[in-house]
Amino acid sequence: MDLSYTPEEEEFRARLREWLAKVLPGLPPKPSPDDWPGRRAYDLGWQRMLYDAGYAGLHWPADAGGRGATPTQHLIFLEETENAGAPYVGANFVGLLHAGPTIAAEGSAGQRARWLPPVLRGEEVWCQGFSEPDAGSDLAALRTRARRDGDDYVVSGSKIWTSHAEVADWCELLVRTDVKAPKHRGISWLAMPMDAPGITVRPLRTLAGSTEFAEVFLDDVRVPVANRVGEENDGWRVTMVTLSFERGTAFVGEVVACRRVLGELAREARKNGRWDDVPLRRRLGRLNAEFRALWRLTQWNVSESERSGGVPGVGGSVFKLRYSRARQDLYDAAADVLGPEALDLDSRWTLDRLSSLSYTIAAGTSQIQRNIVAERILGLPKGR
């Protein structure tokens, strides 16, 4: 693992910092969390700015419309944009971080030409239709059925925890195309237009009060066979490509944010007298070491990705497993530092604490990550 940066990489960092310092002060105010049309417009407006400046799809291959940057340059980009307080990709995250890279890696030339440029330009939003009410952690148990009818699949079933479905143009959809095949072998990956007849979207309100998730009900929705990415019944392999991107560098910016939050807590503890509590001070020190180690693990995963051609490996599961726990520990510590302020329902600390609870579930539960680490990294036998 090479933890140093080349002169070219440091030059890239300097140019990015200069651009961020120039454009961020001119951004409009962020819309209300409940204003989903406004949030979509804001997020895609930022994506267009990245595109015009040459930073959109930085890590995508050049023949897919990206800059063909190295994983290390992508890591620098994520670090610097987070440190500068730049907008997150927001409503565009499925298209930019999951569906887009999957189509770039697995799609046909026509599919890449149709779907990738609008994602990069900030013109179309994607959502993810993977989980189902009875197939969350055991994703291969999905039941949403796609029956072949000429040049179309006729899709019926339901999905849940579908991020940004209410403002999405497309859905990366997993369906069962062979009910007789073993459950991992009868799945296909489809791109479904969200304006197709037969789709009903019902937003779900989270513990923190937001509605970025939804239930999606599919009643004989017709999806062209041409929208299938990969071969029929090969969707599980394609899905593993998607999930490798989801668990690869998807949380890098949040590690940077957690390190910043930890610094805020240390300063607040010194101000309000809690710094004299030796066990609490030791706890903050342990968290500092934890997030420093996670950053080094990120660099290791990036080095591994560079050797494997840019597709993240299973090391992302190690990172995601530990990060999701460390984030919860961070906001537990925040409650000890801040006292009653951490219980204020209008406080960002409270909302971030509630949000942290989801990280042991999102992008694959901790139980699933432990299985991946045990079987694919440690070589342990599969559980019965």
Side-chain angles (χ1 to χ4, degrees):
M1 175 174 61
D2 185 2
L3 299 183
S4 62
Y5 294 105
T6 67
E8 292 77 15
E9 288 164 348
E10 291 294 1
E11 181 182 354
F12 170 79
R13 186 193 299 274
R15 289 198 307 270
L16 175 59
R17 283 182 178 176
E18 182 180 358
W19 181 77
L20 290 169
K22 177 182 177 181
V23 301
L24 290 181
L27 289 181
K30 290 184 179 181
S32 163
D34 295 327
D35 179 8
W36 277 104
R39 288 180 64 176
R40 173 188 161 114
Y42 182 88
D43 293 342
L44 296 190
W46 171 245
Q47 179 63 29
R48 182 67 199 207
M49 292 177 68
L50 291 172
Y51 178 81
D52 290 340
Y55 290 115
L58 191 70
H59 59 303
W60 289 20
D63 61 1
R67 283 189 56 175
T70 67
T72 299
Q73 288 177 315
H74 186 217
L75 181 66
I76 292 171
F77 172 82
L78 294 171
E79 181 183 14
E80 293 299 327
T81 51
E82 180 62 40
N83 279 331
Y88 180 58
V89 288
N92 202 35
F93 89 92
V94 174
L96 194 66
L97 304 180
H98 303 169
T102 302
I103 293 168
E106 299 289 336
S108 67
Q111 290 170 339
R112 287 154 62 106
R114 166 60 188 89
W115 287 314
L116 299 185
V119 170
L120 293 176
R121 292 193 299 258
E123 296 170 354
E124 292 181 344
V125 170
W126 285 67
C127 61
Q128 187 177 78
F130 282 15
S131 296
E132 297 182 5
D134 295 318
S137 296
D138 185 12
L139 183 58
L142 66 89
R143 297 180 181 177
T144 295
R145 175 78 189 279
R147 174 177 53 84
R148 183 75 176 260
D149 182 26
D151 293 332
D152 292 332
Y153 289 109
V154 180
V155 182
S156 295
S158 66
K159 297 292 179 176
I160 198 167
W161 311 123
T162 306
S163 302
H164 305 315
E166 62 270 46
V167 293
D169 303 291
W170 293 90
C171 177
E172 52 172 357
L173 185 72
L174 290 187
V175 295
R176 187 159 299 285
T177 42
D178 187 347
V179 295
K180 296 180 180 179
K183 65 180 186 179
H184 291 85
R185 298 180 183 174
I187 295 172
S188 297
W189 197 107
L190 305 180
M192 179 179 71
M194 289 297 289
D195 60 355
I199 299 176
T200 301
V201 175
R202 182 183 300 164
L204 295 168
R205 192 164 297 277
T206 69
L207 185 64
S210 60
T211 57
E212 65 261 30
F213 299 121
E215 293 178 284
V216 177
F217 300 93
L218 309 170
D219 183 15
D220 288 342
V221 179
R222 301 188 77 89
V223 179
V225 173
N227 287 18
R228 187 188 68 232
V229 175
E231 297 299 321
E232 186 171 282
N233 299 326
D234 191 33
W236 186 255
R237 184 191 61 79
V238 178
T239 301
M240 292 302 101
V241 174
T242 303
L243 295 180
S244 72
F245 287 111
E246 184 176 32
R247 298 165 188 162
T249 55
F251 296 106
V252 167
E254 299 191 39
V255 172
V256 177
C258 284
R259 295 178 71 180
R260 186 177 65 247
V261 167
L262 185 59
E264 291 180 35
L265 290 178
R267 288 189 292 272
E268 180 59 28
R270 290 186 176 96
K271 187 189 306 182
N272 67 15
R274 295 290 287 146
W275 194 251
D276 295 331
D277 183 332
V278 175
L280 176 61
R281 196 165 67 238
R282 187 176 294 125
R283 187 178 180 187
L284 295 178
R286 182 187 61 77
L287 281 167
N288 182 51
E290 185 87 49
F291 284 111
R292 286 172 65 88
L294 282 167
W295 185 250
R296 292 307 192 198
L297 178 58
T298 296
Q299 291 178 305
W300 185 90
N301 286 335
V302 164
S303 294
E304 188 72 14
S305 179
E306 287 187 336
R307 287 193 293 270
S308 65
V311 177
V314 293
S317 289
V318 178
F319 170 86
K320 197 271 175 182
L321 178 63
R322 190 55 227 169
Y323 168 72
S324 59
R325 183 67 258 173
R327 184 182 175 95
Q328 292 188 15
D329 291 344
L330 173 65
Y331 285 98
D332 282 346
D336 285 345
V337 171
L338 300 172
E341 181 186 345
L343 300 177
D344 183 350
L345 292 179
D346 294 325
S347 165
R348 72 175 178 90
W349 296 100
T350 303
L351 295 177
D352 286 345
R353 175 67 182 99
L354 294 175
S355 174
S356 75
L357 299 176
S358 70
Y359 280 75
T360 51
I361 300 172
T365 67
S366 292
Q367 292 88 340
I368 293 298
Q369 305 304 334
R370 290 189 183 98
N371 282 342
I372 292 173
V373 171
E375 296 170 8
R376 301 187 191 176
I377 298 178
L378 301 178
L380 298 179
K382 292 186 178 183
R384 296 183 181 273

mmCIF file of all heavy atoms in Angstrom, residues 285-325:
data_model
loop_
_atom_site.group_PDB
_atom_site.id
_atom_site.type_symbol
_atom_site.label_atom_id
_atom_site.label_comp_id
_atom_site.label_asym_id
_atom_site.label_seq_id
_atom_site.Cartn_x
_atom_site.Cartn_y
_atom_site.Cartn_z
ATOM 1 N N GLY A 285 -10.228 9.771 22.415
ATOM 2 C CA GLY A 285 -8.948 9.371 21.835
ATOM 3 C C GLY A 285 -9.056 8.067 21.070
ATOM 4 O O GLY A 285 -8.460 7.904 19.996
ATOM 5 N N ARG A 286 -9.815 7.121 21.623
ATOM 6 C CA ARG A 286 -10.002 5.845 20.933
ATOM 7 C C ARG A 286 -10.741 6.053 19.609
ATOM 8 O O ARG A 286 -10.398 5.446 18.591
ATOM 9 C CB ARG A 286 -10.784 4.869 21.815
ATOM 10 C CG ARG A 286 -10.984 3.499 21.172
ATOM 11 C CD ARG A 286 -11.906 2.623 21.982
ATOM 12 N NE ARG A 286 -13.231 3.196 22.108
ATOM 13 C CZ ARG A 286 -14.153 3.177 21.142
ATOM 14 N NH1 ARG A 286 -13.872 2.634 19.953
ATOM 15 N NH2 ARG A 286 -15.341 3.710 21.337
ATOM 16 N N LEU A 287 -11.751 6.953 19.612
ATOM 17 C CA LEU A 287 -12.478 7.230 18.378
ATOM 18 C C LEU A 287 -11.569 7.899 17.358
ATOM 19 O O LEU A 287 -11.678 7.631 16.147
ATOM 20 C CB LEU A 287 -13.686 8.127 18.680
ATOM 21 C CG LEU A 287 -14.904 7.415 19.267
ATOM 22 C CD1 LEU A 287 -15.906 8.431 19.814
ATOM 23 C CD2 LEU A 287 -15.571 6.528 18.221
ATOM 24 N N ASN A 288 -10.683 8.754 17.813
ATOM 25 C CA ASN A 288 -9.727 9.374 16.904
ATOM 26 C C ASN A 288 -8.863 8.309 16.230
ATOM 27 O O ASN A 288 -8.642 8.331 15.005
ATOM 28 C CB ASN A 288 -8.851 10.364 17.661
ATOM 29 C CG ASN A 288 -7.858 11.073 16.744
ATOM 30 O OD1 ASN A 288 -8.224 11.619 15.710
ATOM 31 N ND2 ASN A 288 -6.592 11.044 17.119
ATOM 32 N N ALA A 289 -8.392 7.359 17.019
ATOM 33 C CA ALA A 289 -7.601 6.265 16.452
ATOM 34 C C ALA A 289 -8.443 5.424 15.498
ATOM 35 O O ALA A 289 -7.956 4.970 14.454
ATOM 36 C CB ALA A 289 -7.044 5.397 17.582
ATOM 37 N N GLU A 290 -9.698 5.214 15.852
ATOM 38 C CA GLU A 290 -10.600 4.407 15.017
ATOM 39 C C GLU A 290 -10.775 5.025 13.640
ATOM 40 O O GLU A 290 -10.645 4.350 12.603
ATOM 41 C CB GLU A 290 -11.956 4.297 15.715
ATOM 42 C CG GLU A 290 -12.959 3.401 15.025
ATOM 43 C CD GLU A 290 -12.813 1.955 15.444
ATOM 44 O OE1 GLU A 290 -12.739 1.670 16.640
ATOM 45 O OE2 GLU A 290 -12.764 1.106 14.535
ATOM 46 N N PHE A 291 -11.052 6.327 13.600
ATOM 47 C CA PHE A 291 -11.296 6.968 12.309
ATOM 48 C C PHE A 291 -10.002 7.156 11.515
ATOM 49 O O PHE A 291 -10.023 7.135 10.284
ATOM 50 C CB PHE A 291 -12.034 8.289 12.507
ATOM 51 C CG PHE A 291 -13.491 8.103 12.823
ATOM 52 C CD1 PHE A 291 -13.991 8.400 14.079
ATOM 53 C CD2 PHE A 291 -14.360 7.584 11.879
ATOM 54 C CE1 PHE A 291 -15.332 8.208 14.379
ATOM 55 C CE2 PHE A 291 -15.706 7.378 12.162
ATOM 56 C CZ PHE A 291 -16.188 7.689 13.420
ATOM 57 N N ARG A 292 -8.883 7.317 12.192
ATOM 58 C CA ARG A 292 -7.602 7.347 11.479
ATOM 59 C C ARG A 292 -7.335 5.990 10.829
ATOM 60 O O ARG A 292 -6.863 5.902 9.693
ATOM 61 C CB ARG A 292 -6.473 7.723 12.440
ATOM 62 C CG ARG A 292 -6.452 9.194 12.819
ATOM 63 C CD ARG A 292 -5.427 9.459 13.919
ATOM 64 N NE ARG A 292 -4.078 9.207 13.457
ATOM 65 C CZ ARG A 292 -3.295 10.102 12.844
ATOM 66 N NH1 ARG A 292 -3.767 11.320 12.620
ATOM 67 N NH2 ARG A 292 -2.078 9.807 12.472
ATOM 68 N N ALA A 293 -7.640 4.921 11.567
ATOM 69 C CA ALA A 293 -7.454 3.573 11.009
ATOM 70 C C ALA A 293 -8.396 3.340 9.833
ATOM 71 O O ALA A 293 -8.004 2.726 8.818
ATOM 72 C CB ALA A 293 -7.682 2.524 12.092
ATOM 73 N N LEU A 294 -9.630 3.834 9.927
ATOM 74 C CA LEU A 294 -10.577 3.683 8.823
ATOM 75 C C LEU A 294 -10.094 4.436 7.586
ATOM 76 O O LEU A 294 -10.288 3.985 6.454
ATOM 77 C CB LEU A 294 -11.965 4.164 9.245
ATOM 78 C CG LEU A 294 -12.766 3.193 10.110
ATOM 79 C CD1 LEU A 294 -13.970 3.885 10.730
ATOM 80 C CD2 LEU A 294 -13.211 1.982 9.297
ATOM 81 N N TRP A 295 -9.478 5.587 7.810
ATOM 82 C CA TRP A 295 -8.944 6.329 6.670
ATOM 83 C C TRP A 295 -7.806 5.550 6.008
ATOM 84 O O TRP A 295 -7.710 5.484 4.791
ATOM 85 C CB TRP A 295 -8.465 7.705 7.120
ATOM 86 C CG TRP A 295 -8.006 8.551 5.971
ATOM 87 C CD1 TRP A 295 -6.732 8.926 5.667
ATOM 88 C CD2 TRP A 295 -8.831 9.107 4.938
ATOM 89 N NE1 TRP A 295 -6.702 9.681 4.524
ATOM 90 C CE2 TRP A 295 -7.980 9.811 4.054
ATOM 91 C CE3 TRP A 295 -10.191 9.083 4.683
ATOM 92 C CZ2 TRP A 295 -8.458 10.472 2.938
ATOM 93 C CZ3 TRP A 295 -10.669 9.743 3.560
ATOM 94 C CH2 TRP A 295 -9.805 10.431 2.698
ATOM 95 N N ARG A 296 -6.938 4.940 6.816
ATOM 96 C CA ARG A 296 -5.862 4.122 6.257
ATOM 97 C C ARG A 296 -6.428 2.903 5.519
ATOM 98 O O ARG A 296 -5.913 2.499 4.477
ATOM 99 C CB ARG A 296 -4.906 3.673 7.369
ATOM 100 C CG ARG A 296 -4.096 4.795 7.998
ATOM 101 C CD ARG A 296 -3.363 5.608 6.958
ATOM 102 N NE ARG A 296 -2.377 6.502 7.566
ATOM 103 C CZ ARG A 296 -1.849 7.545 6.950
ATOM 104 N NH1 ARG A 296 -2.226 7.838 5.715
ATOM 105 N NH2 ARG A 296 -0.949 8.291 7.550
ATOM 106 N N LEU A 297 -7.492 2.318 6.079
ATOM 107 C CA LEU A 297 -8.129 1.185 5.406
ATOM 108 C C LEU A 297 -8.703 1.625 4.072
ATOM 109 O O LEU A 297 -8.632 0.890 3.074
ATOM 110 C CB LEU A 297 -9.227 0.600 6.298
ATOM 111 C CG LEU A 297 -10.032 -0.566 5.711
ATOM 112 C CD1 LEU A 297 -9.108 -1.723 5.332
ATOM 113 C CD2 LEU A 297 -11.102 -1.029 6.700
ATOM 114 N N THR A 298 -9.263 2.825 4.026
ATOM 115 C CA THR A 298 -9.759 3.369 2.759
ATOM 116 C C THR A 298 -8.628 3.478 1.745
ATOM 117 O O THR A 298 -8.782 3.096 0.578
ATOM 118 C CB THR A 298 -10.384 4.757 2.999
ATOM 119 O OG1 THR A 298 -11.523 4.629 3.843
ATOM 120 C CG2 THR A 298 -10.803 5.400 1.681
ATOM 121 N N GLN A 299 -7.482 3.981 2.183
ATOM 122 C CA GLN A 299 -6.343 4.091 1.278
ATOM 123 C C GLN A 299 -5.885 2.712 0.801
ATOM 124 O O GLN A 299 -5.502 2.536 -0.358
ATOM 125 C CB GLN A 299 -5.199 4.829 1.976
ATOM 126 C CG GLN A 299 -5.499 6.303 2.219
ATOM 127 C CD GLN A 299 -4.373 6.987 2.960
ATOM 128 O OE1 GLN A 299 -3.966 6.563 4.038
ATOM 129 N NE2 GLN A 299 -3.851 8.067 2.391
ATOM 130 N N TRP A 300 -5.926 1.735 1.691
ATOM 131 C CA TRP A 300 -5.557 0.375 1.292
ATOM 132 C C TRP A 300 -6.528 -0.144 0.234
ATOM 133 O O TRP A 300 -6.113 -0.737 -0.773
ATOM 134 C CB TRP A 300 -5.569 -0.544 2.515
ATOM 135 C CG TRP A 300 -5.083 -1.939 2.218
ATOM 136 C CD1 TRP A 300 -3.803 -2.403 2.287
ATOM 137 C CD2 TRP A 300 -5.889 -3.047 1.788
ATOM 138 N NE1 TRP A 300 -3.748 -3.729 1.930
ATOM 139 C CE2 TRP A 300 -5.017 -4.153 1.616
ATOM 140 C CE3 TRP A 300 -7.243 -3.227 1.531
ATOM 141 C CZ2 TRP A 300 -5.465 -5.398 1.206
ATOM 142 C CZ3 TRP A 300 -7.689 -4.457 1.115
ATOM 143 C CH2 TRP A 300 -6.807 -5.533 0.960
ATOM 144 N N ASN A 301 -7.836 0.068 0.460
ATOM 145 C CA ASN A 301 -8.836 -0.386 -0.504
ATOM 146 C C ASN A 301 -8.654 0.304 -1.851
ATOM 147 O O ASN A 301 -8.854 -0.295 -2.907
ATOM 148 C CB ASN A 301 -10.245 -0.131 0.029
ATOM 149 C CG ASN A 301 -10.640 -1.099 1.126
ATOM 150 O OD1 ASN A 301 -10.117 -2.207 1.214
ATOM 151 N ND2 ASN A 301 -11.566 -0.691 1.983
ATOM 152 N N VAL A 302 -8.286 1.593 -1.811
ATOM 153 C CA VAL A 302 -8.053 2.325 -3.054
ATOM 154 C C VAL A 302 -6.849 1.750 -3.795
ATOM 155 O O VAL A 302 -6.871 1.566 -5.013
ATOM 156 C CB VAL A 302 -7.861 3.827 -2.755
ATOM 157 C CG1 VAL A 302 -7.244 4.550 -3.957
ATOM 158 C CG2 VAL A 302 -9.194 4.461 -2.398
ATOM 159 N N SER A 303 -5.768 1.447 -3.057
ATOM 160 C CA SER A 303 -4.597 0.836 -3.690
ATOM 161 C C SER A 303 -4.961 -0.500 -4.327
ATOM 162 O O SER A 303 -4.527 -0.824 -5.432
ATOM 163 C CB SER A 303 -3.489 0.635 -2.647
ATOM 164 O OG SER A 303 -3.011 1.866 -2.172
ATOM 165 N N GLU A 304 -5.775 -1.279 -3.621
ATOM 166 C CA GLU A 304 -6.212 -2.573 -4.148
ATOM 167 C C GLU A 304 -7.057 -2.387 -5.400
ATOM 168 O O GLU A 304 -6.932 -3.125 -6.383
ATOM 169 C CB GLU A 304 -7.015 -3.315 -3.072
ATOM 170 C CG GLU A 304 -7.373 -4.749 -3.402
ATOM 171 C CD GLU A 304 -6.175 -5.671 -3.356
ATOM 172 O OE1 GLU A 304 -5.115 -5.265 -2.816
ATOM 173 O OE2 GLU A 304 -6.268 -6.792 -3.878
ATOM 174 N N SER A 305 -7.914 -1.362 -5.383
ATOM 175 C CA SER A 305 -8.765 -1.080 -6.539
ATOM 176 C C SER A 305 -7.935 -0.693 -7.756
ATOM 177 O O SER A 305 -8.247 -1.079 -8.882
ATOM 178 C CB SER A 305 -9.755 0.040 -6.194
ATOM 179 O OG SER A 305 -10.574 0.357 -7.285
ATOM 180 N N GLU A 306 -6.862 0.074 -7.522
ATOM 181 C CA GLU A 306 -6.005 0.462 -8.648
ATOM 182 C C GLU A 306 -5.351 -0.754 -9.294
ATOM 183 O O GLU A 306 -5.183 -0.816 -10.507
ATOM 184 C CB GLU A 306 -4.944 1.453 -8.164
ATOM 185 C CG GLU A 306 -5.505 2.829 -7.873
ATOM 186 C CD GLU A 306 -4.415 3.846 -7.552
ATOM 187 O OE1 GLU A 306 -3.332 3.425 -7.115
ATOM 188 O OE2 GLU A 306 -4.677 5.032 -7.738
ATOM 189 N N ARG A 307 -5.027 -1.748 -8.491
ATOM 190 C CA ARG A 307 -4.396 -2.961 -9.037
ATOM 191 C C ARG A 307 -5.400 -3.847 -9.761
ATOM 192 O O ARG A 307 -5.010 -4.663 -10.588
ATOM 193 C CB ARG A 307 -3.721 -3.748 -7.912
ATOM 194 C CG ARG A 307 -2.443 -3.111 -7.400
ATOM 195 C CD ARG A 307 -1.656 -4.070 -6.521
ATOM 196 N NE ARG A 307 -2.349 -4.365 -5.290
ATOM 197 C CZ ARG A 307 -2.206 -3.663 -4.167
ATOM 198 N NH1 ARG A 307 -1.413 -2.608 -4.147
ATOM 199 N NH2 ARG A 307 -2.861 -3.997 -3.074
ATOM 200 N N SER A 308 -6.692 -3.699 -9.424
ATOM 201 C CA SER A 308 -7.703 -4.584 -10.009
ATOM 202 C C SER A 308 -8.480 -3.922 -11.136
ATOM 203 O O SER A 308 -9.510 -4.447 -11.563
ATOM 204 C CB SER A 308 -8.681 -5.052 -8.922
ATOM 205 O OG SER A 308 -9.428 -3.958 -8.406
ATOM 206 N N GLY A 309 -8.046 -2.766 -11.600
ATOM 207 C CA GLY A 309 -8.700 -2.121 -12.724
ATOM 208 C C GLY A 309 -9.816 -1.175 -12.365
ATOM 209 O O GLY A 309 -10.604 -0.790 -13.213
ATOM 210 N N GLY A 310 -9.932 -0.791 -11.093
ATOM 211 C CA GLY A 310 -10.895 0.228 -10.694
ATOM 212 C C GLY A 310 -12.157 -0.277 -10.040
ATOM 213 O O GLY A 310 -12.947 0.509 -9.525
ATOM 214 N N VAL A 311 -12.407 -1.594 -10.052
ATOM 215 C CA VAL A 311 -13.597 -2.137 -9.387
ATOM 216 C C VAL A 311 -13.230 -2.486 -7.955
ATOM 217 O O VAL A 311 -12.306 -3.261 -7.718
ATOM 218 C CB VAL A 311 -14.126 -3.396 -10.111
ATOM 219 C CG1 VAL A 311 -15.319 -3.981 -9.354
ATOM 220 C CG2 VAL A 311 -14.544 -3.033 -11.535
ATOM 221 N N PRO A 312 -13.932 -1.908 -6.939
ATOM 222 C CA PRO A 312 -13.577 -2.194 -5.551
ATOM 223 C C PRO A 312 -13.703 -3.680 -5.242
ATOM 224 O O PRO A 312 -14.522 -4.399 -5.815
ATOM 225 C CB PRO A 312 -14.603 -1.374 -4.748
ATOM 226 C CG PRO A 312 -15.076 -0.313 -5.695
ATOM 227 C CD PRO A 312 -15.030 -0.947 -7.054
ATOM 228 N N GLY A 313 -12.885 -4.145 -4.293
ATOM 229 C CA GLY A 313 -12.921 -5.544 -3.886
ATOM 230 C C GLY A 313 -13.710 -5.746 -2.605
ATOM 231 O O GLY A 313 -14.383 -4.835 -2.116
ATOM 232 N N VAL A 314 -13.600 -6.964 -2.043
ATOM 233 C CA VAL A 314 -14.385 -7.294 -0.852
ATOM 234 C C VAL A 314 -13.874 -6.575 0.383
ATOM 235 O O VAL A 314 -14.522 -6.596 1.425
ATOM 236 C CB VAL A 314 -14.406 -8.819 -0.603
ATOM 237 C CG1 VAL A 314 -15.156 -9.522 -1.699
ATOM 238 C CG2 VAL A 314 -12.983 -9.361 -0.485
ATOM 239 N N GLY A 315 -12.696 -5.927 0.300
ATOM 240 C CA GLY A 315 -12.211 -5.148 1.428
ATOM 241 C C GLY A 315 -13.174 -4.055 1.829
ATOM 242 O O GLY A 315 -13.169 -3.591 2.978
ATOM 243 N N GLY A 316 -14.038 -3.627 0.899
ATOM 244 C CA GLY A 316 -15.062 -2.639 1.229
ATOM 245 C C GLY A 316 -16.007 -3.125 2.305
ATOM 246 O O GLY A 316 -16.561 -2.324 3.070
ATOM 247 N N SER A 317 -16.211 -4.441 2.397
ATOM 248 C CA SER A 317 -17.085 -4.985 3.438
ATOM 249 C C SER A 317 -16.452 -4.837 4.814
ATOM 250 O O SER A 317 -17.147 -4.592 5.801
ATOM 251 C CB SER A 317 -17.385 -6.467 3.153
ATOM 252 O OG SER A 317 -18.233 -6.595 2.033
ATOM 253 N N VAL A 318 -15.135 -4.999 4.899
ATOM 254 C CA VAL A 318 -14.436 -4.788 6.169
ATOM 255 C C VAL A 318 -14.609 -3.344 6.611
ATOM 256 O O VAL A 318 -14.942 -3.054 7.766
ATOM 257 C CB VAL A 318 -12.939 -5.129 6.029
ATOM 258 C CG1 VAL A 318 -12.200 -4.862 7.340
ATOM 259 C CG2 VAL A 318 -12.754 -6.570 5.599
ATOM 260 N N PHE A 319 -14.398 -2.427 5.669
ATOM 261 C CA PHE A 319 -14.544 -1.012 5.972
ATOM 262 C C PHE A 319 -15.960 -0.678 6.421
ATOM 263 O O PHE A 319 -16.178 -0.036 7.450
ATOM 264 C CB PHE A 319 -14.186 -0.179 4.742
ATOM 265 C CG PHE A 319 -14.522 1.280 4.884
ATOM 266 C CD1 PHE A 319 -13.629 2.141 5.482
ATOM 267 C CD2 PHE A 319 -15.739 1.768 4.438
ATOM 268 C CE1 PHE A 319 -13.947 3.483 5.633
ATOM 269 C CE2 PHE A 319 -16.065 3.096 4.591
ATOM 270 C CZ PHE A 319 -15.157 3.968 5.185
ATOM 271 N N LYS A 320 -16.946 -1.125 5.634
ATOM 272 C CA LYS A 320 -18.337 -0.772 5.930
ATOM 273 C C LYS A 320 -18.771 -1.327 7.275
ATOM 274 O O LYS A 320 -19.485 -0.677 8.045
ATOM 275 C CB LYS A 320 -19.242 -1.293 4.797
ATOM 276 C CG LYS A 320 -20.629 -0.651 4.778
ATOM 277 C CD LYS A 320 -21.621 -1.393 5.622
ATOM 278 C CE LYS A 320 -22.943 -0.669 5.685
ATOM 279 N NZ LYS A 320 -23.917 -1.360 6.551
ATOM 280 N N LEU A 321 -18.350 -2.545 7.590
ATOM 281 C CA LEU A 321 -18.708 -3.176 8.855
ATOM 282 C C LEU A 321 -18.199 -2.361 10.035
ATOM 283 O O LEU A 321 -18.939 -2.077 10.981
ATOM 284 C CB LEU A 321 -18.130 -4.593 8.899
ATOM 285 C CG LEU A 321 -18.346 -5.407 10.166
ATOM 286 C CD1 LEU A 321 -19.831 -5.664 10.387
ATOM 287 C CD2 LEU A 321 -17.587 -6.727 10.082
ATOM 288 N N ARG A 322 -16.936 -1.950 9.973
ATOM 289 C CA ARG A 322 -16.361 -1.223 11.104
ATOM 290 C C ARG A 322 -16.838 0.220 11.151
ATOM 291 O O ARG A 322 -17.083 0.774 12.225
ATOM 292 C CB ARG A 322 -14.832 -1.279 11.023
ATOM 293 C CG ARG A 322 -14.134 -0.781 12.255
ATOM 294 C CD ARG A 322 -14.612 -1.521 13.499
ATOM 295 N NE ARG A 322 -14.911 -0.598 14.590
ATOM 296 C CZ ARG A 322 -15.538 -0.925 15.704
ATOM 297 N NH1 ARG A 322 -15.965 -2.156 15.885
ATOM 298 N NH2 ARG A 322 -15.759 -0.038 16.643
ATOM 299 N N TYR A 323 -16.978 0.848 9.969
ATOM 300 C CA TYR A 323 -17.408 2.240 9.945
ATOM 301 C C TYR A 323 -18.799 2.413 10.530
ATOM 302 O O TYR A 323 -19.057 3.353 11.297
ATOM 303 C CB TYR A 323 -17.380 2.789 8.513
ATOM 304 C CG TYR A 323 -18.085 4.121 8.398
ATOM 305 C CD1 TYR A 323 -17.502 5.262 8.925
ATOM 306 C CD2 TYR A 323 -19.339 4.218 7.814
ATOM 307 C CE1 TYR A 323 -18.163 6.486 8.866
ATOM 308 C CE2 TYR A 323 -19.999 5.427 7.755
ATOM 309 C CZ TYR A 323 -19.403 6.567 8.280
ATOM 310 O OH TYR A 323 -20.062 7.760 8.230
ATOM 311 N N SER A 324 -19.720 1.525 10.191
ATOM 312 C CA SER A 324 -21.096 1.671 10.659
ATOM 313 C C SER A 324 -21.173 1.621 12.184
ATOM 314 O O SER A 324 -21.984 2.306 12.808
ATOM 315 C CB SER A 324 -21.997 0.608 10.033
ATOM 316 O OG SER A 324 -21.546 -0.693 10.360
ATOM 317 N N ARG A 325 -20.310 0.818 12.806
ATOM 318 C CA ARG A 325 -20.275 0.746 14.263
ATOM 319 C C ARG A 325 -19.594 1.980 14.855
ATOM 320 O O ARG A 325 -20.055 2.544 15.861
ATOM 321 C CB ARG A 325 -19.532 -0.516 14.684
ATOM 322 C CG ARG A 325 -19.456 -0.781 16.169
ATOM 323 C CD ARG A 325 -20.810 -1.100 16.749
ATOM 324 N NE ARG A 325 -21.387 0.046 17.442
ATOM 325 C CZ ARG A 325 -22.614 0.067 17.928
ATOM 326 N NH1 ARG A 325 -23.408 -0.975 17.743
ATOM 327 N NH2 ARG A 325 -23.071 1.122 18.556
#
